[in-house]
Amino acid sequence: LLAQSFVFMEKELKKNITAAIESTAAKERLEREAAEEASRAKGGFLANMSHEIRTPINGMLGIMELLSHTHLDSRQKDFIVTLRESGKSLLSNINNILDYSKIEASKMELKIIQISLGNVLETSAAMIAEMAQNKGLELVCSPDLELFQSNYLGDPARVQQVITNLCSNSIKFTEWGYIEISAEIIAHDTHQCK
């Protein structure tokens, strides 16, 4: 009788373990499917919203381009350049939001092209100059001349994004004085520079 009880208990235990394993596997499958559905929904939302935001920004960029071909004094032309570059940066940031989905899917790609680091730094400075001025800070941009004379490979939008974010934080946390954007080549060979 005791042996039969142990055999019965063993069968029940095996049945319970099997049921628990099957239940856990089913639960994991349902959780994975729910996570995949949420990821698809997020991707769809980002794609839809980015289109809704990109359209008016592209319209503004187009109008700024048309305006730049009208009779403007040099100060107004500088304003248009800054507006256009800021709009491009905003468009780039919207694209970065979409890139978030690509990063999650390990599909992020950098746009590696020839860039003038000096020009990227100056454009970044122009975009945040008013923010510094409004806070009573001086913004100084003094990249090494070599950065203007040579072209380097990089993703200009990502470099500009990093510089703009660093400078915006500097402005935010600086009470008085100035913010300096400077860069120089300290070492280089045929494949990279530092």
Side-chain angles (χ1 to χ4, degrees), residues 18-33:
T18 302
I21 291 171
E22 289 173 358
S23 174
T24 301
K27 182 180 177 185
E28 288 174 354
R29 189 185 80 251
L30 289 173
E31 287 173 351
R32 185 176 55 252
E33 288 172 359

Side-chain angles (χ1 to χ4, degrees), residues 89-151:
S89 179
L90 180 59
L91 202 53
S92 175
N93 288 337
I94 291 166
N95 289 333
N96 291 340
I97 292 169
L98 288 179
D99 289 345
Y100 177 76
S101 296
K102 291 179 184 176
I103 291 170
E104 283 185 332
S106 299
K107 294 183 179 180
M108 176 63 152
E109 294 179 16
L110 296 175
K111 186 188 292 185
I112 305 299
I113 60 173
Q114 278 198 334
I115 61 174
S116 164
L117 289 172
N119 289 339
V120 171
L121 292 172
E122 283 191 338
T123 299
S124 300
M127 290 171 50
I128 59 165
E130 186 176 349
M131 180 191 297
Q133 186 178 18
N134 288 343
K135 195 166 175 190
L137 299 171
E138 182 182 356
L139 181 66
V140 178
C141 183
S142 56
D144 189 332
L145 289 178
E146 187 178 356
L147 296 175
F148 291 98
Q149 296 167 353
S150 301
N151 282 326

